[in-house]
Amino acid sequence: MAELAETMACLNCGGGPMAYMEPDDDDDEKGEEGKEGINEYMCEECGEEQTDVQWNFRGYKVGKVIEVKAMKSPLKKCRIIVKEGDEDGLQIVTNAKHIDEGDMVIVATQGAIVPAGSGEDGTVVKQATVGGEKSEAMLCDGVMLRWKGGSKGVLAKLIGDYRVGDVPPANKPNKKK
């Protein structure tokens, strides 16, 4: 834990260092949302508490698809809101087969590193031109999110109580929500 804390910058103030927070005896030691293996850190500069999930998924957002337009097959141009109050959203060009208006998806925004949590070994998401159109971010599949049971090339969709702009879940959600 100390090794990760040394490499982390605060997601709130950009400062640090981050200090690993030992679980209290009263804690269930399962961390955020009852998931095993989630550690907590505190910024020694601003006092903000953060988890390694937030760190690994920095730049990843839950987004809502507000528009889908067909392009030259198999591409589609989508508008996806990743921030409350942003009516324009991000334009993303994708080859995802099953994407519809209203879908809740996971977006790797510019600067995010894919796959999630891979650090220097990953690829930084940048704006690109795909099929002659600007693509400002990337839609995620389960492999990019490092979800157990996630499938490569299959769009990760969320069902249930997720809000635009949220940090995505660390584990593949149960479809029965």
Side-chain angles (χ1 to χ4, degrees):
M1 296 344 129
E3 301 84 34
L4 179 60
E6 291 172 11
T7 64
M8 294 171 71
C10 178
L11 299 172
N12 182 49
C13 73
M18 301 296 288
Y20 174 67
M21 296 171 50
E22 295 286 339
D24 293 335
D25 291 336
D26 297 338
D27 288 350
D28 62 5
E29 296 194 30
K30 290 188 179 182
E32 182 178 288
E33 299 177 23
K35 305 286 191 287
E36 300 262 354
I38 296 179
N39 301 300
E40 292 185 343
Y41 305 87
M42 183 176 72
C43 176
E44 292 181 6
E45 195 168 311
C46 73
E48 181 78 13
E49 293 181 11
Q50 295 154 26
T51 67
D52 50 1
V53 172
Q54 291 169 312
W55 174 253
N56 289 337
F57 285 94
R58 66 196 180 282
Y60 288 76
K61 303 283 183 194
V62 171
K64 183 174 184 177
V65 180
I66 57 171
E67 181 180 52
V68 179
K69 290 184 180 178
M71 293 174 55
K72 184 176 180 184
S73 189
L75 298 177
K76 297 177 186 98
K77 181 169 57 173
C78 305
R79 281 253 163 235
I80 300 174
I81 297 173
V82 295
K83 189 175 175 182
E84 280 297 331
D86 178 12
E87 296 172 11
D88 296 330
L90 296 173
Q91 178 171 295
I92 301 174
V93 177
T94 183
N95 62 357
K97 293 178 183 172
H98 305 287
I99 186 166
D100 296 301
E101 290 178 16
D103 285 347
M104 296 298 281
V105 295
I106 300 173
V107 178
T109 62
Q110 291 180 45
I113 299 172
V114 294
S118 59
E120 294 177 7
D121 297 330
T123 303
V124 177
V125 175
K126 299 177 181 174
Q127 181 172 303
T129 301
V130 181
E133 294 283 344
K134 176 176 71 172
S135 188
E136 300 175 299
M138 189 178 230
L139 295 177
C140 298
D141 63 22
V143 173
M144 292 170 65
L145 299 166
R146 294 191 172 188
W147 284 351
K148 288 183 178 142
S151 300
K152 184 173 178 70
V154 177
L155 180 63
K157 292 185 184 181
L158 298 171
I159 299 169
D161 298 326
Y162 295 96
R163 294 186 326 244
V164 167
D166 280 354
V167 173
N171 299 301
K172 184 177 177 181
N174 186 343
K175 288 186 177 183
K176 295 179 183 180
K177 278 193 171 183

